[in-house]
């Protein structure tokens, strides 16, 4: 690996660096546990320091991790040029050979820094992946419902049966249409055919909802299920189900991994703005989260499966393993909230963390039960049933019933977190619950009740919570976009 020119020097007692087989006994340098640094405005910040790597002769720090406790922000200082790839010196043989020899170690250090110390989830690129093959989609549901939707969308179509969405062009292909190949930007949807690997019989046998999930667009591979919905008012309850996504996304523009075995769907929900839910539309993501957990727990025998909710939009197995998430994008058109809900859940896939059916297997072994695995088609049906049930519950002015179930599942009662004020000062607070719009209600050390929201932190929404200038008594107006 390439080091900073002033970093490594031979010991005064030796004219060369030590070798691996030599026993070098040099007392190590003990850096301070913390250091105070002033910013440009003269404000003092105290960083906690941790040495991650040392030089072999003097044992002076080569890699240091600095953490700002009040915000959780982290910096890595390195005397090793980890950014230098051997290929940068492919025409300088001696440098290229030396760097190539240590390249595996360089990448191992990089992986450790990013994954362990900075909490960044990494994808392996050690194996070449096959090129993506996009597939056509299939329009499922009662024939007359499909035709009604297509007729209603006729004026919005650019050409016959073609809709231009925000990121995708979709073409509804009737029986006489010869479809063009699917791609990342074009999706042919077969109106009169059924897919080979999605059981419409099992799906509709489990579906009891009146509207949600009654029409489905199913595909094996597409860019993102959200891309099929974003751009038009399509149909209340229209679902998009996909086996694999190439550009799945999560909260705060995170990439959502879509391994085989995960259950992925998007759902368009229309909520009038003058209704109970319409006036507090940011509650919708919590409603969907509750519906996912209650869909499993409402099955006979599955009541004690340990599924939880982490605010604002994560599904957890137990207290510390994330297995799913929810994203909601809302657009207001006239007097209607057009809400596109995206959900990803580990159903059969053991990686990257854990999955529902593994949890069921463990439960069966621990308690000598024989609960069946949740099938792919059954999962979507029971979740759509529950979402519609909770929509009806809230719209019937029974939000207390919803909140009771929400708090039954969530992880945060009496949890202590740190909140940042607009001026940058921090305060330890206790989580009480959520307010009318789904933001966190917390109690400060002086007993003041505040409403707080995430600062956009990518990896942990409960780190770096921001307290607005107003207290809870000054209610927040409902945002047009779900946070």
């Amino acid at each position: 690996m390439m080091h900073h020119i002033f970093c490594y020097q031979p010991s005064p007692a030796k004219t060369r660096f030590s070798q691996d087989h030599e026993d070098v006994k040099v007392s190590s340098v003990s850096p301070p546990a913390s250091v105070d640094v002033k910013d440009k405005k003269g404000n003092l910040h105290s960083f906690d320091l941790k040495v991650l790597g040392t030089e072999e002769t003097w044992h002076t720090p080569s890699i240091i991790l600095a953490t700002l406790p009040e915000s959780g922000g982290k910096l890595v200082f390195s005397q090793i040029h980890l950014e230098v790839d051997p290929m940068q010196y492919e025409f300088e043989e001696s440098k290229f050979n030396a760097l190539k020899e240590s390249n595996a170690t360089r990448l191992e250090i990089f992986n450790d820094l990013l994954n362990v110390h900075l909490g960044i989830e990494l994808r392996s690129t050690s194996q070449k992946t096959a090129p993506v093959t996009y597939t056509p989609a299939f329009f499922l549901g009662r024939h007359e419902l499909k035709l009604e939707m297509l007729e209603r969308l006729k004026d919005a179509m650019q050409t016959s049966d073609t809709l231009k969405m925000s990121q995708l062009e979709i073409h509804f292909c009737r029986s006489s249409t010869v479809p063009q190949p699917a791609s990342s930007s074009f999706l042919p949807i077969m109106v009169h055919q059924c897919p080979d690997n999605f059981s419409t019989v099992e799906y509709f046998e489990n579906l009891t909802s009146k509207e949600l999930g009654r029409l489905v667009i199913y595909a094996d591979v597409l860019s993102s299920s959200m891309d099929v919905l974003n751009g038009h008012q399509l149909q209340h309850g229209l679902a998009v189900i996909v086996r694999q996504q190439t550009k799945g996304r999560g909260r705060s523009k995170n990439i959502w991994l879509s391994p085989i075995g995960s259950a992925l769907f998007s759902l368009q929900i229309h909520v009038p703005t003058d209704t109970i839910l319409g006036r507090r539309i940011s509650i919708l993501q919590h409603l969907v989260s509750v519906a996912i957990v209650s869909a499993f727990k409402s099955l006979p025998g599955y009541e004690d499966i340990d599924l939880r909710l982490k605010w604002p939009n994560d599904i957890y197995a137990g207290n510390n393993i994330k297995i799913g998430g929810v994203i909601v994008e809302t657009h207001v058109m006239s007097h209607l909230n057009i809400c596109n809900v995206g959900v990803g859940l580990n159903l059969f896939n053991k990686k990257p963390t854990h999955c529902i059916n593994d949890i069921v297997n463990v439960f069966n072994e621990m308690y000598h039960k024989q609960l069946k695995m949740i099938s792919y088609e059954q999962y979507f049906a029971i979740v759509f049933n529950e979402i519609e049930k909770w929509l009806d519950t809230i719209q019937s002015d029974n939000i207390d019933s919803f909140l009771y179930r929400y708090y039954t599942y969530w992880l945060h009662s009496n949890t202590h977190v740190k909140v940042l004020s607009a001026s940058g000062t921090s305060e330890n607070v206790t989580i009480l619950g959520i307010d009318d719009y789904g933001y966190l209600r917390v109690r400060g050390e002086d007993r003041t009740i505040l409403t707080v929201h995430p600062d956009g932190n990518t990896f942990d929404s409960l780190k770096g919570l921001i307290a607005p200038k107003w207290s809870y008594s000054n209610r927040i107006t409902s945002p047009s976009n779900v946070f």
Side-chain angles (χ1 to χ4, degrees):
M1 288 177 287
M2 184 173 289
H3 308 99
H4 192 280
I5 190 170
F6 298 114
C7 177
Y8 290 93
Q9 302 174 20
S11 163
K14 301 179 68 175
T15 59
R16 59 179 176 80
F17 290 108
S18 61
Q19 303 298 311
D20 290 342
H21 64 275
E22 296 178 324
D23 184 17
V24 180
K25 296 182 179 179
V26 179
S27 58
S28 60
V29 177
S30 298
S34 63
V35 63
D36 293 332
V37 178
K38 285 186 178 181
D39 60 24
K40 291 182 179 180
K41 296 181 179 180
N43 298 318
L44 199 64
H45 303 276
S46 181
F47 285 85
D48 293 338
L49 301 182
K50 181 179 181 181
V51 176
L52 303 181
T54 60
E55 177 266 330
E56 65 166 0
T57 303
W58 289 102
H59 296 280
T60 53
S62 296
I63 304 176
I64 293 177
L65 176 69
T67 303
L68 192 61
E70 62 190 40
S71 68
K74 295 181 179 182
L75 289 169
V76 174
F77 296 93
S78 176
Q79 292 276 29
I80 305 170
H81 286 280
L82 296 170
E83 79 282 3
V84 176
D85 187 274
M87 293 305 295
Q88 293 177 236
Y89 294 90
E90 60 179 323
F91 299 113
E92 299 180 47
E93 185 176 357
S94 60
K95 289 183 180 180
F96 174 77
N97 289 335
L99 291 171
K100 185 177 180 181
E101 185 177 346
S102 62
N103 196 47
T105 303
R106 179 182 74 93
L107 295 176
E108 185 179 344
I109 294 172
F110 241 137
N111 182 79
D112 183 74
L113 288 174
L114 295 174
N115 193 15
V116 176
H117 298 289
L118 298 182
I120 300 175
E121 188 174 277
L122 304 177
R123 289 184 180 182
S124 173
T125 57
S126 58
Q127 296 180 343
K128 292 184 178 180
T129 56
V132 175
T133 301
Y134 291 94
T135 62
F138 299 86
F139 198 13
L140 311 177
R142 283 172 46 203
H143 185 65
E144 58 269 27
L145 290 180
K146 293 191 287 185
L147 295 184
E148 286 175 10
M149 179 180 132
L150 294 178
E151 181 65 26
R152 191 166 53 254
L153 293 173
K154 184 179 293 185
D155 292 340
M157 293 182 179
Q158 290 184 325
T159 58
S160 178
D161 293 330
T162 300
L163 273 176
K164 180 67 176 176
M165 313 304 286
S166 299
Q167 303 292 327
L168 188 69
E169 183 176 312
I170 61 178
H171 182 204
F172 292 93
C173 302
R174 303 185 189 247
S175 55
S176 59
T177 306
V178 178
Q180 297 179 30
S183 69
S184 61
S185 58
F186 180 79
L187 180 66
I189 301 175
M190 316 309 293
V191 176
H192 301 291
Q193 298 180 29
C194 289
D196 294 329
N197 59 344
F198 184 87
S199 173
T200 55
V201 173
E202 183 177 4
Y203 172 75
F204 284 108
E205 281 182 348
N206 282 280
L207 190 70
T208 59
S209 62
K210 294 180 180 178
E211 296 178 289
L212 267 59
R214 284 292 161 185
L215 287 178
V216 174
I217 294 173
Y218 169 84
D220 285 335
V221 182
L222 54 76
S223 55
S224 169
S225 58
M226 294 290 274
D227 290 345
V228 183
L229 301 179
N230 284 337
H232 282 285
Q233 177 183 339
L234 297 176
Q235 170 87 17
H236 173 63
L238 174 65
V240 180
I241 297 174
V242 57
R243 292 273 179 180
Q244 276 191 291
Q245 298 180 127
T246 61
K247 299 177 183 178
R249 59 185 184 271
R251 190 176 67 89
S252 300
K253 298 182 180 180
N254 289 339
I255 294 175
W256 183 266
L257 302 181
S258 307
I260 292 291
S262 55
L264 312 164
F265 74 83
S266 291
L267 189 67
Q268 189 167 102
I269 298 176
H270 299 170
V271 183
T273 57
D274 61 351
T275 60
I276 294 172
L277 182 59
R279 290 188 289 269
R280 53 181 75 172
I281 196 62
S282 47
I283 286 286
L284 181 59
Q285 65 175 342
H286 304 303
L287 181 156
V288 173
S289 299
V290 165
I292 293 168
V293 175
S294 64
F296 291 105
K297 287 180 168 288
S298 62
L299 296 174
Y302 294 76
E303 299 88 351
D304 294 326
I305 298 294
D306 191 13
L307 299 178
R308 306 291 184 88
L309 299 178
K310 180 181 178 182
W311 183 88
N313 59 352
D314 290 336
I315 314 298
Y316 266 57
N319 293 329
N320 51 21
I321 302 177
K322 179 178 177 177
I323 60 170
V326 177
I327 181 174
V328 180
E329 297 177 354
T330 301
H331 309 277
V332 180
M333 298 180 64
S334 185
H335 300 292
L336 195 65
N337 292 300
I338 310 298
C339 305
N340 294 327
V341 179
V343 175
L345 188 83
N346 298 340
L347 186 61
F348 286 99
N349 53 302
K350 298 178 183 294
K351 295 181 179 180
T353 57
H354 207 31
C355 69
I356 288 290
N357 283 318
D358 273 353
I359 297 169
V360 173
N361 279 330
V362 171
F363 183 85
N364 284 338
E365 292 176 4
M366 288 182 63
Y367 299 102
H368 307 290
K369 303 290 185 178
Q370 294 182 333
L371 301 180
K372 294 181 179 180
M373 301 297 99
I374 307 298
S375 75
Y376 191 69
E377 292 82 359
Q378 180 190 13
Y379 162 75
F380 295 111
I382 63 176
V383 168
F384 297 156
N385 296 340
E386 285 292 302
I387 294 175
E388 186 169 277
K389 184 189 82 172
W390 288 111
L391 282 172
D392 292 342
T393 298
I394 290 182
Q395 294 290 51
S396 300
D397 200 15
N398 193 8
I399 195 168
D400 288 342
S401 176
F402 159 74
L403 290 175
Y404 174 80
R405 189 62 61 91
Y406 181 73
Y407 291 132
T408 300
Y409 299 152
W410 90 326
L411 292 167
H412 309 300
S413 295
N414 296 317
T415 299
H416 300 288
V417 294
K418 189 169 290 186
V419 167
L420 301 178
S421 69
S423 63
T425 59
S426 62
E427 178 184 358
N428 292 317
V429 299
T430 302
I431 294 177
L432 301 177
I434 58 174
D435 71 359
D436 290 346
Y437 303 101
Y439 294 101
L440 276 187
R441 292 176 63 240
V442 300
R443 182 176 59 242
E445 294 172 328
D446 61 357
R447 313 298 292 179
T448 301
I449 306 299
L450 301 173
T451 297
V452 298
H453 57 83
D455 66 348
N457 185 290
T458 305
F459 305 107
D460 190 346
S461 58
L462 293 180
K463 287 184 178 178
L465 291 168
I466 295 176
K469 294 180 181 179
W470 51 82
S471 66
Y472 180 66
S473 58
N474 298 316
R475 296 295 178 89
I476 303 173
T477 57
S478 180
S480 59
N481 258 343
V482 176
F483 52 85

